[in-house]
Amino acid sequence: MRTFAHRRGRGLLAALCSTAVVLALAVLPNTAQATQGADTAGAAAGSAQGAPERPAPGPDPDPALPAHTLTRADAPLDNPLKGFARFYQPGADQNTGYPHSLTWSYFGLSEVMTDASDCGHYDWSVLDSALEETASYGNQAAIRFYIEYPYSSGSHPTNAIPPCFDGHVDNRTNAHWNTISPDYDNAYLLDALKDFIAAFGARYDGDPRIGFIHMGLIGLWGEWHTWPYDTDTSSDSYPNYMPTDAHAAEIMRAYNSAFTHTKVEARYADLAGGAADSLPAIGYHDDSFCFREGSPLAGVTLPASMGGASYSQLQKALEHGVENRWITASMGGEVRPEIQGRAFANWPGGSGDVDDMKACLELEHTTWKINEGSATYSADDAGVAAAVRLMGYDLTVDDAYFHDTAQGSTKVGVRISNNGVAPFYYPWTVSLGLKDSTGKVVKTWDTTWDLRKVMPKKIRAFPDWGVGSEPTYLDYGYPQYFDATVDLSGVSTGDYQLVMKAKNPLEDTRSNAKKLRFANATQNADGWLGLGAMTVG
């Protein structure tokens, strides 16, 4: 496994304080299950999966129901579980800067495994405190646990080796980064990490305060590399501090078993010998998104066929046949810190060390990115707004189907399209309701509609697929029709507004939770989408 074979630049957002985030760049030398559905998993390394088969179109609208066409409008920039994530700063206002709904934070393993005599004792207070604070702003968290963190991680320890490892696990010094690296092949360590992951999942899987989890734990910053003490020992004299593929695969499988609801992401497709190839619930986390490095410049996200390096994120995905993993798992990561301030200045393309941004988003099917530099973006920047709306899901109700006047039991249907690059990944409850003339919701009905079925209408083809000139867009998802029968008995005769809402489960405890809002002109800030007027009685 060549975990970090090519030396590349690495930006690091580090020093955190209660009033500001200081951008500290530590740059390496530039010389180098939720739903275990149909996926590309299991493809042999070295073989791109190719254009995915289109999903089934779903049912047609009920011809007995009159159609009411809705007007499309731009969705808000802070829709939940997509877009940019800002760093967690204890005590700081999380809703400043460019609109966003995600907060990113690291946690040292030693902050939870605190008992020197018992690796199975966990104190989750540091995580719970951060999650509660994040939720208080209506946001959801994206998180990672680490063991070794070069320099400073702000409010968290630099050396996060749990004290219970003392006397059981050998430590090595990474002289380049001045960190202590535990023996990741040690049986005691592996058992402790797997037990931790199991406990982590038992407590937090499906927690509405968490949107995404990066596997972490292994290597510098938890990024699954120990450069220069890595598997590339042929070109230097540094020993290898990374675990074997077999042991790293044990960690991946532990995460896959522990988290069957919350989305989990790994760094590269080739990690642990490609262990995630056969785990369709594991997504990928591109932490150098859309950067170009070296001489001549080469992309570290786009594949070699588009000027990318041999070690780029999507090149590795193609070689492992998982370039369509986005169908079942999320694609996260970080906009490379060196370019965050100007990453979208030339949208939809790029310039210099910023690669073709639109191509990066479309081919990776990006849902979210850490982007502390977004704090300086203008909310009026059309390029940034277009990029954010393209990321992840962008759901529009094209038509609503219902009788203008109804009583007793009546059927209501909607047809929903997705103009983003990825599906919505969580089974949030979709409800129908009636609002009276004052705007009060007087009646609601929960449905069984599953927004995860609404796939992007078009996807961009990799040049490697050989299906047309660059760029080629392929038809993929269909507008999805859903309907439900609602009981109007008990509803007073009168005129109402028929409405629909996809409920963020964080709303159960936080009234200010960011609402999922559709890209429609009749979308209300309270989360309810107006479908049209209905008279009852």
Side-chain angles (χ1 to χ4, degrees), residues 50-297:
E53 183 178 353
R54 293 189 73 182
D60 292 326
D62 187 334
L65 296 176
H68 302 73
T69 298
L70 274 66
T71 301
R72 177 175 168 81
D74 287 337
L77 298 171
D78 61 347
N79 248 339
L81 301 179
K82 62 170 288 183
F84 300 138
R86 294 280 305 283
F87 268 75
Y88 170 64
Q89 303 172 64
D93 186 347
Q94 293 188 20
N95 286 331
T96 60
Y98 197 81
H100 60 282
S101 65
L102 287 167
T103 299
W104 166 260
S105 185
Y106 296 93
F107 299 92
L109 186 59
S110 63
E111 297 180 275
V112 172
M113 295 173 64
T114 59
D115 193 325
S117 61
D118 183 6
C119 279
H121 175 78
Y122 309 106
D123 179 358
W124 299 102
S125 57
V126 65
L127 177 54
D128 280 331
S129 177
L131 294 180
E132 279 299 289
E133 187 173 357
T134 295
S136 74
Y137 287 93
N139 295 332
Q140 275 136 332
I143 62 177
R144 174 198 295 163
F145 277 92
Y146 68 90
I147 294 177
E148 45 185 318
Y149 198 117
Y151 305 121
S152 170
S153 62
S155 59
H156 301 287
T158 297
N159 176 10
I161 298 175
C164 62
F165 285 9
D166 291 351
H168 300 281
V169 182
D170 291 335
N171 294 323
R172 297 82 53 91
T173 299
N174 185 321
H176 184 87
W177 296 105
N178 195 29
T179 61
I180 303 300
S181 183
D183 179 2
Y184 292 109
D185 288 316
N186 179 279
Y188 187 90
L189 174 145
L190 288 168
D191 286 342
L193 292 188
K194 288 185 287 186
D195 289 345
F196 165 77
I197 293 166
F200 184 20
R203 183 178 177 93
Y204 294 101
D205 187 30
D207 190 316
R209 299 172 298 177
I210 302 176
F212 306 97
I213 295 172
H214 182 267
M215 286 186 180
L217 294 178
I218 294 176
L220 302 166
W221 302 283
E223 290 180 358
W224 287 58
H225 72 82
T226 51
W227 185 88
Y229 296 81
D230 56 14
T231 55
D232 182 23
T233 58
S234 61
S235 60
D236 57 44
S237 60
Y238 296 101
N240 175 26
Y241 286 177
M242 283 294 291
T244 65
D245 287 348
H247 289 153
E250 291 181 31
I251 302 302
M252 281 196 175
R253 289 193 292 268
Y255 268 109
N256 187 67
S257 297
F259 291 92
T260 59
H261 297 89
T262 304
K263 288 298 177 182
V264 176
E265 298 168 356
R267 178 62 179 96
Y268 281 119
D270 66 343
L271 291 176
D277 289 2
S278 59
L279 302 175
I282 301 298
Y284 297 106
H285 185 96
D286 180 359
D287 74 357
S288 285
F289 183 70
C290 224
F291 185 60
R292 300 177 76 216
E293 66 183 10
S295 180
L297 290 171

Side-chain angles (χ1 to χ4, degrees), residues 494-523:
D495 296 329
Y496 298 91
Q497 181 73 206
L498 182 64
V499 291
M500 181 185 85
K501 180 179 182 178
K503 182 183 178 182
N504 183 341
L506 194 61
E507 294 180 59
D508 288 335
T509 57
R510 298 289 187 276
S511 60
N512 64 339
K514 300 288 171 65
K515 312 297 190 295
L516 190 158
R517 286 145 292 173
F518 293 85
N520 287 103
T522 53
Q523 175 65 62

